[in-house]
Amino acid sequence: MKTATRVLAKDLWLPYETDRLTPREAAHLARRAGFGADWSEIQAAVDLAFFDVVDGLLTAGENAELDQQSQAMKAVIQAGNLPVQLPAWWLYRLQQTASQAREKLVIFWHGHFATSAAKVNSAFPMLAQNETIRQFALEPFEQMVIAISRDPAMLLYLDSATNRRNNPNENYARELMELFCLGIGNYTEHDVRELSRAFTGWEIVRGQFTFNQFQHDPTPKNLLGKAGIESGEEAIAWIVTRPAAARFVAQKLYRFYVSDLAPDPRLLEPLANCLRENQFAIRPVLRMIFTSRLFFSDLAYAKKIRSPVELAIGLLRCIGGSTSPTQLSSSLAELGQSLFYPPNVKGWDGGMRWINSTTMIGRINLVTEILTNAQTNFVGGRNRLDRRFDVSSAADAVQRVEMIWCAQPLEDSHRRKLIDIVERTVTRRDGKLLCAFKALATTAEFQLG
């Protein structure tokens, strides 16, 4: 085991040696870096150089039409101050985005810097925070932490807006070190008190961050072994350079993009080093993950359970579909994932926590609802779906679904059973692909991303 770990740490983060991805590899990359790709997108990806595919995902910009639609929808939500409509707004964006990798990363940061509209109770700061996260998602971590620390929604959520020099509030200081930057065991109660003093005077005035020098404690702080820190910005700059910070963020990224299973700490060190060497910029780290041997190994394939959002948006992206974001929002809330409403400051636990006897039935029902709902639209129309995926037989349908959706190949007996279901169920020319999706949705393999 020790030898294997040394090999993993030394070799598995090296670039994956290929010029072109296979269809299975292209689908795996699309699912993990974003939410998924349909058959034509996978075919396009395998015709491109491997590193060009990865760089294209990480640099893709948003289309102007979606930005305009998004702004119009935000204006309606803000006019009525309707935070309950926030999840539907984001789900619409996720269905339409041309920048899947950035939106996937925004979801990661939303769970990392978890803030709930249930407490903030206003659409304005929650939308502003969402745009802040999108703006800094791929930028150096220090910039993100400073922006989030000044963010009105976060100031309200963790009571930092009431942090006064004569009565410091320790909530945000504690969570910043425990959940956002360092992890448990890498700070002391003294550090919490000192950091809370550094943040005194950070307030909200007319909905905007304001520094109130009269409520700030200017006396020097001794934080994590460094004396003489005065401001919150200085404190953040020091915190994110601590050795534990790089390892902590590397582990969170690994668990989100590679595997739900906790890795050997030695395996994380190359990722942590990549963060340090790139001044904590996130894009180089994601590029390292998506181009690594490890990412295309059995340590990554089928090692993640799809969250409810990944399940729904991934399905729609894989079949070139879109559906009612309002109805989808309601269904996802029942499965335990309502965007803008994380369960607590730790965000969603993920992994096996997504699956139990109740949610499994709900996930199957969600897939059926999406595929059969009259409000679900498909590129080219529902009746042309089989032709768009080059499906002429039940075997074709199962093969396409297996290729674009499944994280691991199906057993031969399972594949034959699915083909038989499609042959017995669909007697007309069209409908084979959707039938194959519905049949596979009842299985454990369908839940793995």
Side-chain angles (χ1 to χ4, degrees):
M1 180 61 70
K2 291 182 179 179
T3 300
T5 301
R6 285 198 297 270
V7 171
L8 291 175
K10 179 181 178 182
D11 296 335
L12 281 180
W13 290 114
L14 294 174
Y16 187 49
E17 296 175 348
T18 186
D19 294 326
R20 298 284 192 276
L21 294 173
T22 66
R24 180 185 181 225
E25 292 166 342
H28 171 67
L29 175 63
R31 286 193 299 269
R32 294 293 182 82
F35 301 95
D38 69 16
W39 183 238
S40 63
E41 291 169 326
I42 291 173
Q43 289 177 308
V46 300
D47 289 335
L48 297 174
F50 169 40
F51 284 92
D52 288 345
V53 176
V54 174
D55 289 337
L57 287 167
L58 292 176
T59 59
E62 196 54 88
N63 63 72
E65 182 179 358
L66 177 58
D67 277 337
Q68 292 174 356
Q69 294 169 342
S70 178
Q71 291 300 322
M73 293 174 69
K74 283 170 59 177
V76 173
I77 295 173
Q78 290 171 327
N81 192 20
L82 302 168
V84 293
Q85 294 185 4
L86 292 172
W89 167 80
W90 199 357
L91 288 169
Y92 176 81
R93 187 179 182 99
L94 292 173
Q95 292 181 63
Q96 304 297 329
T97 182
S99 185
Q100 285 200 56
R102 183 179 289 272
E103 287 298 316
K104 182 75 166 281
L105 187 57
V106 175
I107 289 179
F108 167 78
W109 289 127
H110 175 47
H112 184 84
F113 296 107
T115 308
S116 176
K119 179 174 180 179
V120 176
N121 198 31
S122 175
F124 296 87
M126 294 302 298
L127 284 167
Q129 185 188 81
N130 187 269
E131 291 299 341
T132 295
I133 292 175
R134 187 169 290 105
Q135 176 186 351
F136 290 101
L138 288 158
E139 302 307 317
F141 186 59
E142 180 182 341
Q143 295 180 23
M144 172 73 86
V145 177
I146 289 175
I148 286 294
S149 299
R150 294 171 173 168
D151 175 71
M154 182 62 78
L155 287 166
L156 291 169
Y157 185 59
L158 288 180
D159 309 310
S160 196
T162 58
N163 191 8
R164 304 287 189 266
R165 63 183 297 173
N166 293 327
N167 186 26
N169 188 300
E170 298 178 359
N171 286 3
Y172 184 67
R174 186 180 305 280
E175 306 303 359
L176 177 70
M177 290 190 285
E178 179 179 329
L179 298 177
F180 302 162
C181 293
L182 299 177
I184 295 174
N186 293 301
Y187 62 92
T188 67
E189 288 301 307
H190 170 79
D191 295 319
V192 173
R193 291 191 293 271
E194 294 294 277
L195 183 57
S196 66
R197 291 200 301 122
F199 286 135
T200 52
W202 290 36
E203 301 178 352
I204 303 171
V205 176
R206 291 188 289 275
Q208 301 297 317
F209 167 78
T210 300
F211 175 68
N212 183 345
Q213 62 177 334
F214 302 107
Q215 288 296 339
H216 177 66
D217 182 348
T219 58
K221 293 86 180 170
N222 189 325
L223 176 65
L224 297 168
K226 182 176 181 178
I229 290 176
E230 194 278 314
S231 69
E233 291 85 354
E234 289 178 75
I236 290 170
W238 177 242
I239 289 169
V240 300
T241 60
R242 299 307 81 219
R247 292 193 294 268
F248 182 74
V249 175
Q251 182 179 45
K252 293 290 289 285
L253 289 168
Y254 183 96
R255 294 286 291 269
F256 188 78
Y257 284 106
V258 180
S259 173
D260 289 329
L261 305 175
D264 187 296
R266 288 167 290 183
L267 185 58
L268 292 176
E269 201 56 34
L271 272 188
N273 286 337
C274 184
L275 279 166
R276 298 183 188 108
E277 291 165 2
N278 289 280
Q279 292 73 53
F280 257 92
I282 303 301
R283 193 191 308 270
V285 181
L286 294 187
R287 192 176 193 272
M288 180 177 175
I289 292 173
F290 300 147
T291 60
S292 69
R293 295 177 183 179
L294 186 151
F295 187 72
F296 293 97
S297 76
D298 288 340
L299 290 174
Y301 279 117
K303 294 301 187 296
K304 290 218 33 97
I305 293 175
R306 287 177 164 100
S307 71
V309 169
E310 289 170 339
L311 182 76
I313 300 301
L315 177 61
L316 290 164
R317 301 299 301 221
C318 284
I319 59 178
S322 62
T323 195
S324 164
T326 302
Q327 187 170 336
L328 185 58
S329 171
S330 176
S331 299
L332 292 174
E334 292 177 5
L335 293 178
Q337 192 174 29
S338 182
L339 296 175
F340 288 98
Y341 291 87
N344 51 56
V345 70
K346 293 191 300 180
W348 294 276
D349 290 325
M352 287 300 299
R353 297 294 182 89
W354 292 126
I355 302 293
N356 57 50
S357 58
T358 300
T359 59
M360 190 64 183
I361 295 172
R363 289 163 78 97
I364 295 169
N365 291 340
L366 173 64
V367 172
T368 301
E369 175 187 301
I370 290 173
L371 296 179
T372 60
N373 195 324
Q375 295 189 65
T376 300
N377 299 308
F378 301 92
V379 173
R382 185 183 295 268
N383 293 333
R384 292 185 57 84
L385 200 59
D386 283 358
R387 278 166 281 181
R388 194 162 61 79
F389 279 76
D390 297 326
V391 167
S392 59
S393 67
D396 289 341
V398 173
Q399 190 273 340
R400 294 291 185 271
V401 172
E402 182 179 1
M403 183 63 66
I404 65 178
W405 185 264
C406 293
Q408 59 188 10
L410 299 172
E411 296 287 341
D412 288 342
S413 59
H414 190 185
R415 189 181 299 110
R416 287 194 296 270
K417 184 180 297 185
L418 290 172
I419 291 172
D420 181 61
I421 291 173
V422 176
E423 287 178 337
R424 287 187 287 104
T425 304
V426 183
T427 56
R428 60 187 186 281
R429 177 175 179 177
D430 295 306
K432 298 180 180 66
L433 189 81
L434 294 185
C435 180
F437 264 111
K438 285 188 283 187
L440 189 64
T442 63
T443 68
E445 293 94 328
F446 196 82
Q447 315 308 321
L448 300 175

